[in-house]
Amino acid sequence: MAEFTPQVPKPDESVPFWRDLRVLGVLAQIAAIIAVVLGAAWLLNNVAANLVTLGESQFICQDGSSSFRCAFNFLRLDAQFDISETSIAYDPSDSYSRALLVGALNTIKVSFFGIILATVLGTVTGIARLSSNWLVSSVARWYVDIIRNTPLLLQLFFLFFGVILLLPPIREAIQPFGLPVYLSQRGFEMPGPVMMPSFRTWLFFILAGVVLAAVFSWLLGRIQQHQSGSVHRWLWPVLLFVAVAVGGWFFAMRSAADNQGLLATPESGIATFDDIAATVQARLGVDELRDLDELEASGVLTEDEILAAALSVCAVRDDPAEVNLTAQLRRANIPYTVSRNTTLDKTAADFTGGDCDVFVASQAELADIQSAQPELATGTLVPLAETPVRISVPRIEGLNFVGGIKMTPNFAAILIGLSVYTGAFIAEIVRAGIQSVSKGQTEAARALGLSESQRLWLIILPQALRVIIPPLTSQYLNLVKNSSLAIAVGYPDLWSTAFTTLNQSGRPIQVFLIVMGTYLSFSLLISAFLNWYNQRIAFVER
């Protein structure tokens, strides 16, 4: 039998370059670079041609000349248009740059809360998809199938025009379970925290508590490495943080004795805060101040009598001092009415004119007004007790709600729409991530006697995160970009304010560059954070 001898290429034999993978790879990269350069050149030439077509008016400088360096000078001009919802102070006389900043902050707000709500909704739905309960898994599946296969714009229209705007008017607002939450055509009203001046002091203690808890947890971790028993690594740091926060709360309260106060007229007879209850009680002619609804329902007092005897308060609109005073009045069952103005001077004028019994503001502001207006010198300045945070509760006054946190119909529509839509996609990602964990992990957890919730949160989900995070990044980016559909429901996001700026300023290219750069920055920040987190939870190979 003949012996097989392999054929070895001779050294002088070479592979043709059109078949050499190394050469073809280099040529492909060169071709790609040439294509990118040609595409960029075409794009820049197109932009330059459009700029020439638009004329020199796009680049007018302050001295009347025209130059490319003045392309964005229009941002200093007055915007001259109103924005219905702002996160910072804004007036139509402000510049285009501030208007675009307001739009960008509105986009950040809806994206931030949308990501949180979509993550929670998607996680719960994804877990429910794998439930052994037929009803739970079926509802979750139908939700995912319907939402994923329906256009987002259609969902926004239905939610805004077919749900929110069809809610009852303010006087008939829906109050779920009797809670201080109101659903009406004007949006959603709910209680919310208001930061008092002493909050800055308390915030220092909170930050100090976080640092101390982190250091203490690290020390307990080092101790646990050298001993076999449990040292409650998370319990003691939490207790330490709570102790520092509670101590800081009382310290901030004591240091806030000179922050807020109320100025009372001599005719009111109010010299201390306790005198308010006695004054109103005497006006009502009752032995004690009980729940006013009970007094009215029992026929002891009428609504008109209660309003006539109520303490009248003058305050600046959205002033923390008003929230602080009204919270204490409600706790003491003292009826009150509030007259609000936009400025301190107008509020002082109303108080001087006898429109109210007390004028509430910071003690420094009240002292300045007393020194500037001699007719107020006879008023009594009463210190107002303060806590770092007060809860503002919404209530109906006249034809609208005051106090609390307000979600406009426009913001509610875009927030709920984005959360529900993105949550359906996140649900499928979570379901796939859970199913990617081998069944042996579940069997081992059950063998150890872990409950189903412990198995899910301690064993399955931490391992599933390595599969969930990469596609989850894409959904977060989609949510931010889909927020540009807010213009369909009238919410003034970045694209909405940019579109108005474009029409008024006549600078389309500059505005488009600003918008694209802003959305790109949002996307890069989200991607960078999630990529960092993905690296933190990645498997470490040994």
Side-chain angles (χ1 to χ4, degrees), residues 275-286 289 306 309-311 333-335:
D275 293 336
I276 298 177
T279 300
V280 175
Q281 186 174 328
R283 292 177 183 177
L284 292 172
V286 295
L289 291 175
I306 294 176
L311 180 74
N333 291 324
I334 299 175

Side-chain angles (χ1 to χ4, degrees), residues 142-155:
W142 279 107
Y143 156 68
V144 171
D145 290 343
I146 292 174
I147 297 300
R148 280 172 56 115
N149 294 285
T150 308
L152 175 58
L153 187 59
L154 179 61
Q155 295 178 29

Side-chain angles (χ1 to χ4, degrees), residues 47-48 93 108 110 146 164 223 262 271 374 392 421 431 437 466 526:
V47 171
S93 61
I108 293 174
V110 73
I146 292 174
I164 296 179
I223 295 174
L262 55 90
S392 177
Y421 183 77
R431 178 188 62 81
V437 180
R466 299 176 176 89
I526 294 174

Side-chain angles (χ1 to χ4, degrees), residues 197-224:
S198 58
F199 176 76
R200 292 188 293 269
T201 303
W202 188 48
L203 181 61
F204 171 79
F205 281 89
I206 292 177
L207 296 177
V210 170
V211 173
L212 290 175
V215 172
F216 196 50
S217 176
W218 177 79
L219 291 175
L220 291 177
R222 297 295 298 271
I223 295 174
Q224 191 171 14

Side-chain angles (χ1 to χ4, degrees), residues 96 495 497-509 511-512:
Y96 283 122
W495 171 238
T497 55
F499 188 75
T500 306
T501 301
L502 183 152
N503 288 332
Q504 291 192 186
S505 65
R507 308 296 204 279
I509 293 179
V511 172
F512 278 121

Side-chain angles (χ1 to χ4, degrees), residues 147-211:
I147 297 300
R148 280 172 56 115
N149 294 285
T150 308
L152 175 58
L153 187 59
L154 179 61
Q155 295 178 29
L156 291 177
F157 281 143
F158 172 77
L159 187 62
F160 184 62
F161 295 103
V163 178
I164 296 179
L165 294 186
L166 295 183
L167 289 172
I170 287 180
R171 291 291 179 180
E172 303 172 5
I174 300 174
Q175 194 174 1
F177 308 108
L179 298 174
V181 177
Y182 302 89
L183 312 180
S184 69
Q185 297 173 345
R186 299 285 186 90
F188 305 155
E189 311 285 339
M190 61 196 75
V194 177
M195 312 307 173
M196 298 295 153
S198 58
F199 176 76
R200 292 188 293 269
T201 303
W202 188 48
L203 181 61
F204 171 79
F205 281 89
I206 292 177
L207 296 177
V210 170
V211 173

Side-chain angles (χ1 to χ4, degrees), residues 342-424:
T342 56
T343 63
L344 194 66
D345 293 337
K346 292 181 179 179
T347 308
D350 290 347
F351 178 71
T352 305
D355 294 345
C356 44
D357 298 321
V358 296
F359 176 17
V360 62
S362 68
Q363 292 191 33
E365 291 173 335
L366 294 175
D368 292 341
I369 290 176
Q370 276 190 302
S371 61
Q373 301 183 20
E375 62 272 18
L376 298 180
T378 57
T380 304
L381 183 59
V382 179
L384 190 60
E386 179 187 328
T387 58
V389 179
R390 285 285 188 186
I391 301 299
S392 177
V393 180
R395 59 195 297 262
I396 298 177
E397 287 188 7
L399 299 177
N400 209 341
F401 285 98
V402 295
I405 296 177
K406 180 179 180 63
M407 287 180 60
T408 63
N410 316 87
F411 177 72
I414 186 63
L415 177 62
I416 297 174
L418 288 176
S419 302
V420 171
Y421 183 77
T422 310

